Amino acid sequence: MMKKFSTAIAFSLITGIGSAWAQPTPPLELADNVPDRHIVVKGDTLWDIAGKFLKSPWRWPEIWQLNKEQIRDPHWIYPGDIVYLDKTADGQPRLRLGRPIGGGANAGGSGSASTNPEVVGTTTKLQPQVRVAKPDREAIGSISPALIEPYLSKPLIVGQNELTRAARIVATQEGRVVLATSDVGYVRGLEDETTTEFQVFRPATPLKDPVSKKVIAYEAQYLGTAKLVRKGDPATVMITSFTQEIGIGDRLLPAESPKLINYVPRPAAKDLEARVVSIYGSVGQGAQTSIITLNAGSSQGLEVGQVVAVWQYGRAINDRTEPNKKKRTVVLPDERNGEAFVFRVFDNISYALVMKAAAPIDVNDRVTAP
């Protein structure tokens, strides 16, 4: 098993910060009633822990002083580790990792501690140590994988006619208009009868840019999963899960294992200007944990792991206190109504998980750097 230094807890300033961090940023603000330490437990995420110490959890890398490579490989915090808040380093708050001496209940954690805090009087002294890297599955993630895992293995963005060639549901079991979990459907067009697990999609719908009004991509609407129970033409499948009702004409694609990500949140580029194209799987408004689609992707510099701010456009009002009737129409300022974590990126489209929403998020809301 490979050994490595946990450079995330280096005692000197770490250089090599990405260009997005090189821009002037306001001082870090600690959360109200901030704790002195936090014992990492199973189920914690980097975002959750950051929220205990910071008012803006997306600024997590700054309080750790991580460099760009560490952001892309943040597997260094494990259940049982202790996160310490250090307010004495150059007047700036810093977080350190450690573990109790003596092999207590929290000693070592799942991943063996990166530092060894020695208590001298009322002062905790941290000593850098080598840690043995444990399997990535034991390390805590950036955000809860359950919130985005279903969206990591699905095509989401497809060619205009790509799904027309996929296997299709041609009939439902007798008496069923639509299908749900444990219902049976009949499928034609299965070319590979060795595949038994499928994902179900609605035929692709066009996504229009809110500004240009042009179609910029075609989105496949994920509906659920199905399992092959009998081969043939038509073949028989059973619905094993669903997020929306499934019916005749919906398409099946072989299921793929999700490619989990574990990027530490970091701000998008300062010059980002984008819009919300859609609220995935909804015809209404978005809220916390909603998936939103943005009209910007890798071509516009967006990357997986970046955080964006979502703004509600200021509405126009009639200022009845203005004596000049021609000047009564006033546009109120835009209001920041949320933050989102980008987890999947295509050329000109990306998907983000809403991590915070002070107000409902709508299609056409403005998206910028946080």
Side-chain angles (χ1 to χ4, degrees):
M1 195 172 290
M2 181 180 68
K3 294 184 178 181
K4 62 179 181 179
F5 285 99
S6 181
T7 51
I9 56 168
F11 290 107
S12 59
L13 292 178
I14 297 176
T15 59
I17 301 299
S19 60
W21 293 357
Q23 302 150 1
T25 54
L28 289 172
E29 290 188 77
L30 295 178
D32 297 330
N33 301 315
V34 61
D36 291 328
R37 64 186 66 190
H38 170 74
I39 299 176
V40 180
V41 298
K42 186 177 181 179
D44 273 349
T45 66
L46 295 175
W47 195 284
D48 293 337
I49 295 175
K52 295 180 183 296
F53 294 95
L54 295 174
K55 288 186 177 180
S56 298
W58 61 267
R59 296 184 66 181
W60 165 269
E62 295 175 60
I63 200 169
W64 280 105
Q65 296 186 326
L66 303 184
N67 63 32
K68 190 173 183 179
E69 291 308 311
Q70 290 164 328
I71 294 172
R72 299 181 183 280
D73 182 22
H75 301 137
W76 37 258
I77 300 182
Y78 297 81
D81 285 345
I82 303 177
V83 179
Y84 294 88
L85 178 64
D86 180 3
K87 301 179 183 179
T88 63
D90 302 325
Q92 294 294 321
R94 298 285 180 264
L95 292 182
R96 315 290 191 199
L97 277 183
R99 64 183 173 89
I101 294 177
N106 297 314
S110 297
S112 178
S114 305
T115 59
N116 190 13
E118 175 186 349
V119 179
V120 181
T122 59
T123 302
T124 300
K125 182 180 179 182
L126 297 176
Q127 298 290 343
Q129 290 186 340
V130 175
R131 80 145 70 217
V132 178
K134 295 291 184 178
D136 289 347
R137 63 182 177 84
E138 296 183 5
I140 68 170
S142 301
I143 57 179
S144 173
L147 296 175
I148 62 171
E149 187 172 333
Y151 304 93
L152 296 177
S153 60
K154 302 169 180 51
L156 298 183
I157 298 299
V158 297
Q160 181 176 1
N161 300 313
E162 184 175 343
L163 286 182
T164 61
R165 300 186 296 271
R168 63 200 184 277
I169 296 176
V170 297
T172 62
Q173 67 187 81
E174 187 174 354
R176 301 287 187 184
V177 177
V178 294
L179 301 176
T181 302
S182 298
D183 289 341
V184 169
Y186 302 95
V187 177
R188 299 196 68 190
L190 287 180
E191 297 179 356
D192 180 7
E193 292 187 341
T194 62
T195 301
T196 59
E197 303 292 336
F198 297 90
Q199 295 169 335
V200 187
F201 295 87
R202 189 132 298 149
T205 56
L207 291 179
K208 291 186 177 181
D209 189 293
V211 180
S212 68
K213 307 302 180 184
K214 295 181 179 179
V215 174
I216 54 176
Y218 290 85
E219 183 178 70
Q221 192 70 44
Y222 172 74
L223 305 178
T225 58
K227 182 177 182 178
L228 179 67
V229 294
R230 185 171 56 230
K231 300 178 181 179
D233 184 20
T236 304
V237 299
M238 182 178 68
I239 305 302
T240 51
S241 68
F242 76 104
T243 59
Q244 297 185 51
E245 294 174 335
I246 297 170
I248 294 173
D250 291 333
R251 266 48 179 182
L252 275 68
L253 292 175
E256 298 178 3
S257 299
K259 299 176 182 178
L260 295 178
I261 60 171
N262 201 27
Y263 281 39
V264 176
R266 63 195 188 282
K270 189 177 181 180
D271 60 353
L272 175 68
E273 278 291 340
R275 302 284 185 91
V276 175
V277 179
S278 68
I279 314 297
Y280 191 82
S282 172
V283 294
Q285 297 174 310
Q288 188 165 321
T289 72
S290 291
I291 304 295
I292 58 176
T293 310
L294 312 179
N295 68 339
S298 57
S299 296
Q300 291 74 34
L302 270 183
E303 297 178 353
V304 172
Q306 290 183 336
V307 177
V308 298
V310 183
W311 297 78
Q312 190 176 64
Y313 280 101
R315 68 183 189 277
I317 64 167
N318 182 28
D319 181 6
R320 292 176 293 179
T321 67
E322 170 60 55
N324 187 338
K325 292 184 179 181
K326 293 183 179 180
K327 297 183 179 181
R328 284 187 175 180
T329 300
V330 178
V331 178
L332 299 178
D334 295 350
E335 293 291 345
R336 181 165 168 163
N337 60 342
E339 294 173 355
F341 181 90
V342 177
F343 66 86
R344 195 164 183 194
V345 176
F346 296 86
D347 287 344
N348 297 299
I349 288 285
S350 58
Y351 288 84
L353 174 69
V354 178
M355 303 298 297
K356 178 181 178 181
I361 292 175
D362 290 297
V363 170
N364 201 39
D365 279 353
R366 191 163 65 96
V367 177
T368 68

